[in-house]
Amino acid sequence: MTQKASLGKVLVTGGAGFIGSALSQLIADRSEGWVVMDSLHPQVHPGGKRPADLHEKAELIVGDVVNPEDWDRVLEHGPFDLVVHLAAETGTAQSLAEASRHSRVNVVGTTEMLDAFTRAGQIPARIVLAGSRAVYGEGRWNRESDGTDFYPGMRTHAQLAASQWDFPGAAPVAARADLNIPTPTSIYGATKLAQENLLTAWAGSHDTTVNILRLQNVYGPGQSLINSYTGIVSLFSQWSEIGKQIPVYEDGVITRDFVYIDDVATAFEAVIDSDPAVTNGQVYDVGNGVGTTIFQIAEIIAEYHGAPAPTVNGAFRDGDVRHAWADISRTTEVLGWEPAWDVRRGVAALQEWIAGQDERVV
């Protein structure tokens, strides 16, 4: 096997989290130094402890991306060749009620990072951003009458209250970064799109390579079991584990693309190892490439535990999109990456991991 090149010195913001810890286990050994900046937020890290899954080589610096002083402390450990920007508030529903918090961390936190690089005179060779499928909003739909694509925009509260789940006479289209116009329908999605624009603008003026991975719904061992905003797979798993019937919103046909954590980590490795001349400034979709309804994922989890079958309750969340899954063909073609885990296998692995954990949100 050909030995992969050294990554140089690496900085990972939010690097003590779910994705950061998994990535550290995969490639930290290839770095000349793996520095993690993380606030150890209690919503994710109870007790402010260093996560056991974080690679032993990682130097953890507790700091908040919105504080210039914390950035100055972190950059004393630089300069950095590679920056992986994971730090973000991630709750789609939570962002509607805590818009300022999401904007401070996701938008101002990113600008504080860029300002800190400027103050320190440190220009990283490459920045990789963990983007989000939330930037697509409802995305593209196709008219059944004439086959043309259009962007229907946000489903209003009135539509949802009237149980008008879909857009009549139209079918959803899988998201693809080079074909879709981003139209976020949540505060969270809007802040993630702002991150993309800020990094691209700054990097273009500093000859820094920037890559963006728009992640679909990431799940798997290592995700927070106490943060109800980090994904329904974890929440559904904990409900089924205790024999509770899973309630499914709308009519059960909300669609998501569930991508296993190991596949996300290998996607980051693939873009980090990619040729800057080919991938600079590019955005890639990272998902399983398959749409799974919320009812289907609930069924798989309930079956694993022998729990009651899920029930559709007709409830809804404002700002939620109806269908979201990715066309990953371009990512596979350019980066040579493809997911290895299907949903049923990944769900089983997650249940096995959860069984050995003490903390729960339910």
Side-chain angles (χ1 to χ4, degrees), residues 15-325:
F18 179 32
I19 295 173
S21 293
L23 186 62
S24 75
Q25 292 295 334
L26 182 65
I27 62 173
D29 274 337
R30 293 175 52 197
S31 72
E32 294 172 13
W34 189 273
V35 177
V36 167
M37 180 187 190
D38 201 295
S39 67
L40 298 182
H41 195 287
Q43 186 169 292
V44 180
H45 302 280
K49 302 175 186 175
R50 178 189 175 106
D53 293 334
L54 185 60
H55 195 281
E56 60 182 13
K57 185 173 183 175
E59 181 178 359
L60 175 60
I61 301 173
V62 178
D64 195 321
V65 292
V66 304
N67 293 332
E69 298 81 6
D70 289 347
W71 273 111
D72 291 341
R73 282 193 299 114
V74 168
L75 294 192
E76 288 176 359
H77 298 258
F80 297 99
D81 302 288
L82 167 67
V83 176
V84 182
H85 191 33
L86 305 177
E89 292 290 349
T90 60
T92 301
Q94 188 180 30
S95 72
L96 193 60
E98 298 185 39
S100 295
R101 173 181 165 189
H102 280 70
S103 296
R104 275 195 299 271
V105 175
N106 299 356
V107 179
V108 176
T110 299
T111 58
E112 289 290 1
M113 175 179 72
L114 300 178
D115 287 348
F117 289 149
T118 302
R119 281 195 306 275
Q122 298 181 22
I123 308 300
R126 182 174 225 143
I127 302 175
V128 178
L129 172 68
S132 172
R133 58 93 180 161
V135 304
Y136 293 122
E138 288 291 349
R140 284 185 299 149
W141 286 60
N142 185 265
R143 293 186 180 90
E144 296 171 356
S145 59
D146 59 10
T148 58
D149 288 345
F150 72 106
Y151 292 83
M154 184 175 183
R155 296 185 298 169
T156 66
H157 177 83
Q159 285 177 292
L160 296 173
S163 300
Q164 296 174 1
W165 311 128
D166 284 300
F167 298 97
V173 180
R176 184 168 140 168
D178 61 329
L179 300 178
N180 276 57
I181 300 170
T183 54
T185 57
S186 67
I187 300 297
Y188 168 64
T191 64
K192 292 300 290 183
L193 183 58
Q195 278 188 325
E196 293 188 10
N197 292 333
L198 290 166
L199 284 176
T200 300
W202 187 89
S205 297
H206 293 82
D207 292 329
T208 295
T209 295
V210 63
N211 298 121
I212 299 162
L213 297 181
R214 287 182 182 159
L215 309 180
Q216 293 288 320
N217 287 56
V218 186
Y219 74 101
Q223 69 184 112
S224 174
L225 298 180
I226 64 167
N227 183 3
S228 58
Y229 295 101
T230 56
I232 60 169
V233 181
S234 168
L235 188 59
F236 285 1
S237 299
Q238 293 180 62
W239 281 340
S240 289
E241 186 183 44
I242 60 175
K244 178 179 177 179
Q245 186 176 46
I246 300 172
V248 179
Y249 281 15
E250 299 186 15
D251 59 354
V253 189
I254 302 169
T255 305
R256 294 293 183 265
D257 186 334
F258 297 100
V259 57
Y260 193 69
I261 182 61
D262 289 10
D263 288 332
V264 172
T266 57
F268 272 96
E269 181 182 33
V271 78
I272 287 168
D273 287 337
S274 66
D275 183 353
V278 175
T279 64
N280 184 25
Q282 298 301 303
V283 183
Y284 299 100
D285 296 291
V286 176
N288 200 40
V290 177
T292 302
T293 69
I294 301 303
F295 193 85
Q296 288 172 331
I297 196 77
E299 276 189 316
I300 292 171
I301 294 169
E303 286 172 8
Y304 180 94
H305 291 284
T311 181
V312 174
N313 65 7
F316 63 88
R317 292 193 315 178
D318 287 308
D320 232 353
V321 300
R322 176 63 168 170
H323 300 290
W325 82 101

